């Protein structure tokens, strides 16, 4: 999609979203928050679905931004939280042929040390996706691979979003609310670091050292010999999400103990 077309798609959608927010504020001032919430439910749901579809279509930056939006209950109505939360765990994966081309380019002859690399991804995020692999020596690992062309698209999409948000913020209705621009500026600052998986490997090992006193934490090993700027190679570890309570309750895990451990780790 041409940059100009991408820009106008983003501009028009966010203009529509911001106008919906403004309309809800006006209705709530006259008839109360609960009435405004119900009145705008259908419109917010439609806008949230459009934003979800746009982010999946654009990928990269848009998915990352919408993942962040899905955590901001202070900014977004419930339909956005529910619909955009789907991007936390269900980002569509890139075709394996495209991913494999990245692996071949990064590894060269070293790819011959692999017995297999699963074509089906076990996780997909805004910038990368994860595949299980097995070395010829029998070791199982996971490869987190930077999606092809993501670096090229990121600069263009950040520029598009920045120009769109800046244009909208100049309108009289939105002049007092520059939070979207601030969020975008923060995203621009941190995303560059996330494009370098060698840096992520360094941080993972620093985290492992910092958490070494907690015997109940399992932190995967980093395989540096298979880690590059575009591929992070780690030990494969089975696990369940903390929100899958049905699974860990079957193992008689005590939620009180889990909660205490989470808090202990967090403050450490």
């Amino acid at each position: 999609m041409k940059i100009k077309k991408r820009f106008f798609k983003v501009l028009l959608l966010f203009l529509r979203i911001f106008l919906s927010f403004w309309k809800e504020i006006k209705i709530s001032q006259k008839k109360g928050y609960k009435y405004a919430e119900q009145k705008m439910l259908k419109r917010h749901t439609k806008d949230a679905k459009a934003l979800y579809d746009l982010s999946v279509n654009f990928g990269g930056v848009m998915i990352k931004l919408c993942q962040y939006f899905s955590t901001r209950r202070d900014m977004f109505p419930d339909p956005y939280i529910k619909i955009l939360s789907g991007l936390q765990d269900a980002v569509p994966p890139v075709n394996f042929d495209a991913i494999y081309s990245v692996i071949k380019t990064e590894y060269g002859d070293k790819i011959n040390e692999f017995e297999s690399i699963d074509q089906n991804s076990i996780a997909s995020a805004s910038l990368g996706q994860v595949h299980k692999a097995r070395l010829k020596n029998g070791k199982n690992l996971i490869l987190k691979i930077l999606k092809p062309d993501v670096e090229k698209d990121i600069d263009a999409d950040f520029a598009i979003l920045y120009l769109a948000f800046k244009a909208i913020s100049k309108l009289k209705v939105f002049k007092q609310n520059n939070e979207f621009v601030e969020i975008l500026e923060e995203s621009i600052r941190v995303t560059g670091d996330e494009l370098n998986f060698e840096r992520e490997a360094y941080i993972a090992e620093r985290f492992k050292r910092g958490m070494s006193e907690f015997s109940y934490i399992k932190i995967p090993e980093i395989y540096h010999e298979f880690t590059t700027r575009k591929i992070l190679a780690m030990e494969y570890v089975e696990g369940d999400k903390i929100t899958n309570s049905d699974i860990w309750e079957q193992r008689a895990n005590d939620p009180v103990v889990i909660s205490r451990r989470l808090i202990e780790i967090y403050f450490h």
Side-chain angles (χ1 to χ4, degrees), residues 15 30 48 87 96 98 123 126 132 166 188 229 253 261-262:
L15 182 59
K30 292 179 179 179
L87 293 169
F96 181 72
S126 54
K132 287 173 67 175
K166 275 290 190 183
I188 292 170
R229 196 176 66 83
N253 292 131
R261 286 178 171 179
L262 280 172

Side-chain angles (χ1 to χ4, degrees), residues 148-208:
D149 298 325
V150 74
E151 292 169 297
K152 182 178 69 177
D153 293 338
I154 273 178
D155 286 342
D157 284 344
F158 268 138
I160 286 167
L161 284 161
Y162 190 80
L163 290 171
F165 285 4
K166 275 290 190 183
I168 292 170
S169 68
K170 291 184 184 299
L171 298 175
K172 187 177 180 180
V173 175
F174 309 114
K175 271 194 174 177
Q176 293 181 339
N177 188 359
N178 290 319
E179 193 166 3
F180 283 92
V181 175
E182 291 169 6
I183 289 170
L184 186 62
E185 288 172 345
E186 178 64 17
S187 295
I188 292 170
R189 280 193 290 271
V190 302
T191 299
D193 289 337
E194 295 181 10
L195 293 172
N196 186 345
F197 288 165
E198 287 175 332
R199 184 177 186 278
E200 187 169 335
Y202 164 76
I203 292 169
E205 293 211 316
R206 184 176 174 185
F207 183 82
K208 188 178 180 72

Side-chain angles (χ1 to χ4, degrees), residues 19-35:
L19 285 170
S20 295
F21 286 8
W22 176 75
K23 186 175 180 180
E24 183 175 9
I25 291 168
K26 290 298 181 183
I27 294 172
S28 65
Q29 288 172 347
K30 292 179 179 179
K31 298 193 175 184
Y33 172 73
K34 284 293 181 185
Y35 177 85

Side-chain angles (χ1 to χ4, degrees), residues 52 56 63 66-67 70 80-92 124:
Y52 178 95
V56 169
I63 288 177
C66 287
Q67 285 173 337
S70 73
Y80 286 91
I81 305 303
K82 290 174 183 174
I83 291 168
L84 298 183
S85 291
L87 293 169
Q88 297 287 355
D89 299 310
V91 177
S124 180

Side-chain angles (χ1 to χ4, degrees), residues 59-251:
V61 168
M62 279 297 299
I63 288 177
K64 197 164 190 61
L65 199 61
C66 287
Q67 285 173 337
Y68 178 73
F69 288 164
S70 73
T71 68
R72 294 297 301 266
R73 290 185 177 274
D74 58 320
M75 287 177 63
F76 289 89
D78 275 350
Y80 286 91
I81 305 303
K82 290 174 183 174
I83 291 168
L84 298 183
S85 291
L87 293 169
Q88 297 287 355
D89 299 310
V91 177
V94 170
N95 181 279
F96 181 72
D97 289 341
I99 285 292
Y100 192 65
S101 68
V102 176
I103 298 172
K104 284 198 299 184
T105 301
E106 290 296 298
Y107 282 163
D109 292 339
K110 198 177 284 187
I111 202 167
N112 295 323
E113 296 183 40
F114 286 83
E115 180 182 295
S116 63
I117 301 173
D118 286 0
Q119 294 194 21
N120 296 319
S121 66
I122 58 172
S124 180
S126 54
L127 305 179
Q129 67 188 51
V130 178
H131 290 258
K132 287 173 67 175
R134 185 176 178 84
L135 296 173
K136 287 180 178 177
N137 63 12
K139 193 175 289 184
N140 293 314
L141 63 159
I142 62 107
L143 303 177
K144 180 180 176 183
I145 304 131
L146 193 69
K147 290 179 176 177
D149 298 325
V150 74
E151 292 169 297
K152 182 178 69 177
D153 293 338
I154 273 178
D155 286 342
D157 284 344
F158 268 138
I160 286 167
L161 284 161
Y162 190 80
L163 290 171
F165 285 4
K166 275 290 190 183
I168 292 170
S169 68
K170 291 184 184 299
L171 298 175
K172 187 177 180 180
V173 175
F174 309 114
K175 271 194 174 177
Q176 293 181 339
N177 188 359
N178 290 319
E179 193 166 3
F180 283 92
V181 175
E182 291 169 6
I183 289 170
L184 186 62
E185 288 172 345
E186 178 64 17
S187 295
I188 292 170
R189 280 193 290 271
V190 302
T191 299
D193 289 337
E194 295 181 10
L195 293 172
N196 186 345
F197 288 165
E198 287 175 332
R199 184 177 186 278
E200 187 169 335
Y202 164 76
I203 292 169
E205 293 211 316
R206 184 176 174 185
F207 183 82
K208 188 178 180 72
R209 290 194 300 273
M211 293 292 169
S212 59
E213 66 185 73
F214 299 104
S215 60
Y216 53 80
I217 299 179
K218 170 63 179 175
I219 300 174
E221 296 288 342
I222 302 292
Y223 297 135
H224 288 283
E225 65 271 32
F226 294 106
T227 293
T228 71
R229 196 176 66 83
K230 293 185 178 183
I231 301 176
L232 176 64
M234 302 177 72
E235 174 189 6
Y236 177 70
V237 179
E238 293 276 359
D240 300 308
K241 287 185 67 174
I242 192 66
T243 50
N244 291 345
S245 57
D246 291 344
I247 295 173
W248 50 261
E249 281 177 354
Q250 290 173 12
R251 296 193 296 258

Side-chain angles (χ1 to χ4, degrees), residues 9 13-14 16-17 43-57 62 66 80 83-84:
K9 273 182 173 288
L13 178 56
F14 276 100
R16 193 172 92 195
I17 289 169
R43 183 163 169 176
H44 284 324
T45 301
K46 183 180 178 182
D47 289 347
K49 285 178 179 175
L51 183 55
Y52 178 95
D53 292 340
L54 185 75
S55 67
V56 169
N57 185 28
M62 279 297 299
C66 287
Y80 286 91
I83 291 168
L84 298 183

